[in-house]
Amino acid sequence: MDKETKLGHLLMTRAVDKTGNVISIKDADNGLKCDCNCIVCDKPVLARQGSIAWSFAHVSTQACSWSGETELHLIAKEVIKKDRRIKFRHLTLNGQSHYIDVEFSEVEEEVFDGLYRPDLVCTSVDGERFLVEICVSHQCEKEKVSFYRKQRENLIEIVLPTRLPEGVEYLDEEIVRALIDQATVHCLSINPLSIFAEELAALNQKHISEQGSQLRYLRECGRELEAKRDTLSQSVNKLSRCYSDWEKHKVKVENKVKKYENNLRRNIESQKEVRAYLQQTHQLQHQIKELKSQCSAVKNQFNNAKVALDQEISKYRKQQMEAVKHQVSTTEFSLNSQLSLLKSEIETLRTLELVLREDDSVTKVDTAIQIIKLHYEDKFDELERDWMVVRRLKNDSLMPTTIAENRRTLPPLTSENVDSLVSSVRTYKDMKG
């Protein structure tokens, strides 16, 4: 329940009438006619039976220790007297739960037995006596439990919950009966000769027999383990003696080894060759250390020199690249100039060929043409060689169209070429001039 009602806020529904019996508000007369007293302080109370919840109230304003716990305790005894049974959960030795329902043929309240006054004294249908203690806030005293155990009484304690549903103003039998079903029930004392004890023992009989078998098996295992332990103890004692003898023998052998080692060392050190060898070994080790230090220094110098050399090489490469670029540009300019001159010479020779043809000097013209062609091819080869030099110096240069392979020989003259040249060139002498 998320929200709960406290016992201290409950209304009083039980009081003592003039005959000394506890009665309910439903059985009393209204107002002061009820002629009832408080159960706790024994002061007069009046019955309020109006439109709201019915309840008893003190007539005087004197303080009273009555509380909802008293109300719950009284009504719980009424419910048990009316139902004449108690149901509770019993756990066996193996942890299994069994619900036990005890029915009563007779229930008496507040019967004094000479030393204590139990809340209820009940007699079961089998004729066995049960003492019932109802606990709201104070559990049964240890002395009382010890007394009833010595008397071999069946003592049952019912621990009621104090949490009520929200909105409860007063208690009735239904609410208290539900609380009893939720209560924790303890068997504080059991009569070992009673039928109730036999029923509880029957629930544990199977588990007890299984435990007995397990105990017998464990006892046998224990005897076997004891026999093995004795055997192991004898073996351990024997091994301990052997270990002690071995330790003594070990000490003797170690002493002999040390003595032999000392004698051998003295014999070795007494020989001249051995001493000389040891001195030489010491010197060589010293020289090795010096060489290692020198190698380390040389290695550092080499690394420094390598760094400096890499820097010089990078600088030299930059300078060479700049010089090559300048030379390539200069050579390219020179080639372009030569190409221009060659073009002008070619045009002059073509014009000369046309003039010669016009003067009917065929033989001389053919001879001149052959000379011109040879001269042209020589110049073309010279330009091609210069271009190869430029190509090696500058790979990304484009080949000029004037030195393409289809330009290696002069193209033949046509009438169109002749007509265009005749109008501008008249004589060979003029052309030569």
Side-chain angles (χ1 to χ4, degrees):
M1 305 174 193
D2 297 335
K3 296 183 180 180
E4 301 164 354
T5 300
K6 296 182 180 179
L7 290 175
H9 297 163
L10 294 176
L11 299 175
M12 182 189 299
T13 62
R14 298 295 186 272
V16 180
D17 62 7
K18 58 183 178 180
T19 61
N21 295 323
V22 178
I23 65 172
S24 172
I25 185 64
K26 297 178 181 179
D27 301 327
D29 294 331
N30 192 16
L32 293 174
K33 294 179 182 180
C34 65
D35 194 13
C36 295
N37 294 333
C38 176
I39 296 174
V40 177
C41 65
D42 199 28
K43 299 294 182 181
V45 294
L46 57 88
R48 295 185 297 187
Q49 297 176 346
S51 59
I52 60 175
W54 289 10
S55 64
F56 290 105
H58 287 85
V59 176
S60 65
T61 57
Q62 287 183 342
C64 178
S65 60
W66 181 93
S67 65
E69 296 179 2
T70 305
E71 188 85 358
L72 178 59
H73 191 271
L74 287 171
I75 301 177
K77 290 193 292 184
E78 293 178 5
V79 171
I80 294 174
K81 285 176 66 177
K82 185 176 181 179
D83 295 345
R84 294 194 174 188
R85 65 170 39 193
I86 295 176
K87 186 177 181 181
F88 60 93
R89 187 171 64 115
H90 174 69
L91 290 177
T92 57
L93 296 176
N94 58 356
Q96 294 182 355
S97 60
H98 299 271
Y99 287 93
I100 299 176
D101 193 355
V102 182
E103 295 184 8
F104 303 121
S105 60
E106 184 180 357
V107 179
E108 298 180 275
E109 185 177 352
E110 303 289 344
V111 177
F112 185 68
D113 58 3
L115 185 60
Y116 295 103
R117 192 184 300 275
D119 291 331
L120 296 173
V121 178
C122 307
T123 304
S124 68
V125 294
D126 297 324
E128 294 185 355
R129 194 166 93 137
F130 286 84
L131 306 179
V132 179
E133 288 287 344
I134 299 174
C135 170
V136 178
S137 60
H138 302 289
Q139 295 184 350
C140 194
E141 298 86 355
K142 294 182 180 180
E143 294 80 7
K144 183 187 290 188
V145 176
S146 178
F147 172 76
Y148 286 125
R149 284 178 179 175
K150 291 178 181 178
Q151 298 297 322
R152 295 185 177 182
E153 295 280 2
N154 295 320
L155 177 61
I156 297 176
E157 182 184 47
I158 302 174
V159 182
L160 295 173
T162 59
R163 298 178 179 180
L164 303 177
E166 182 185 7
V168 174
E169 296 181 351
Y170 61 91
L171 296 175
D172 57 16
E173 291 183 357
E174 294 301 325
I175 295 175
V176 175
R177 186 173 285 108
L179 294 176
I180 292 175
D181 292 337
Q182 300 172 13
T184 303
V185 182
H186 303 292
C187 292
L188 300 180
S189 176
I190 299 175
N191 183 2
L193 302 178
S194 63
I195 298 175
F196 179 67
E198 292 179 0
E199 293 177 355
L200 296 180
L203 295 175
N204 293 312
Q205 185 63 36
K206 183 179 179 180
H207 185 67
I208 291 172
S209 62
E210 291 177 355
Q211 285 188 338
S213 300
Q214 292 179 359
L215 288 174
R216 286 190 294 273
Y217 174 73
L218 292 174
R219 193 177 292 112
E220 291 294 332
C221 293
R223 283 196 289 267
E224 293 179 0
L225 290 175
E226 288 180 357
K228 291 181 180 179
R229 185 191 63 184
D230 295 337
T231 304
L232 289 175
S233 298
Q234 294 175 2
S235 301
V236 169
N237 292 332
K238 185 177 180 181
L239 289 174
S240 298
R241 290 192 297 271
C242 293
Y243 179 76
S244 178
D245 296 339
W246 183 84
E247 284 290 331
K248 293 178 182 178
H249 180 69
K250 177 184 175 183
V251 172
K252 291 180 181 179
V253 172
E254 288 178 350
N255 292 332
K256 288 182 180 180
V257 169
K258 289 181 180 178
K259 184 176 179 180
Y260 175 78
E261 184 180 359
N262 293 330
N263 293 331
L264 183 62
R265 186 180 293 107
R266 285 195 296 269
N267 292 333
I268 291 174
E269 292 176 352
S270 62
Q271 298 179 8
K272 294 181 180 179
E273 291 82 1
V274 174
R275 288 199 299 273
Y277 172 76
L278 294 176
Q279 292 177 358
Q280 186 177 4
T281 301
H282 181 71
Q283 292 176 358
L284 289 174
Q285 290 177 351
H286 182 69
Q287 291 177 2
I288 288 171
K289 290 182 180 179
E290 291 181 352
L291 288 174
K292 285 183 178 179
S293 61
Q294 292 176 3
C295 286
S296 177
V298 170
K299 186 176 181 180
N300 293 332
Q301 293 178 0
F302 173 77
N303 292 332
N304 296 332
K306 184 179 179 182
V307 173
L309 181 61
D310 291 340
Q311 294 176 354
E312 291 294 331
I313 290 173
S314 176
K315 184 178 179 180
Y316 175 76
R317 284 179 178 175
K318 290 181 180 179
Q319 293 176 354
Q320 290 296 319
M321 288 299 296
E322 292 177 357
V324 168
K325 288 180 180 179
H326 179 71
Q327 185 177 0
V328 167
S329 61
T330 304
T331 305
E332 186 176 5
F333 178 77
S334 176
L335 286 175
N336 291 329
S337 301
Q338 293 180 12
L339 285 172
S340 300
L341 293 174
L342 183 60
K343 287 179 181 180
S344 62
E345 289 180 2
I346 289 171
E347 294 296 330
T348 302
L349 290 174
R350 285 178 178 176
T351 305
L352 181 61
E353 182 182 7
L354 293 175
V355 172
L356 290 175
R357 285 182 181 275
E358 191 178 47
D359 293 338
D360 295 329
S361 301
V362 178
T363 303
K364 293 180 180 181
V365 169
D366 291 338
T367 303
I369 289 172
Q370 294 296 326
I371 294 172
I372 290 169
K373 286 182 177 181
L374 292 175
H375 183 67
Y376 175 83
E377 290 178 358
D378 292 338
K379 287 292 182 178
F380 187 90
D381 293 337
E382 183 179 355
L383 288 174
E384 191 175 24
R385 286 193 297 272
D386 292 339
W387 163 247
M388 295 300 294
V389 174
V390 172
R391 184 67 178 272
R392 284 196 298 271
L393 295 177
K394 190 176 181 181
N395 293 329
D396 55 350
S397 299
L398 298 176
M399 178 186 289
T401 56
T402 55
I403 59 173
E405 187 64 26
N406 57 358
R407 296 290 185 93
R408 178 173 292 277
T409 57
L410 286 172
L413 294 176
T414 61
S415 60
E416 290 81 3
N417 294 334
V418 172
D419 294 337
S420 62
L421 291 174
V422 168
S423 61
S424 58
V425 180
R426 298 184 63 180
T427 63
Y428 173 75
K429 291 182 179 181
D430 295 335
M431 186 64 192
K432 188 176 180 181

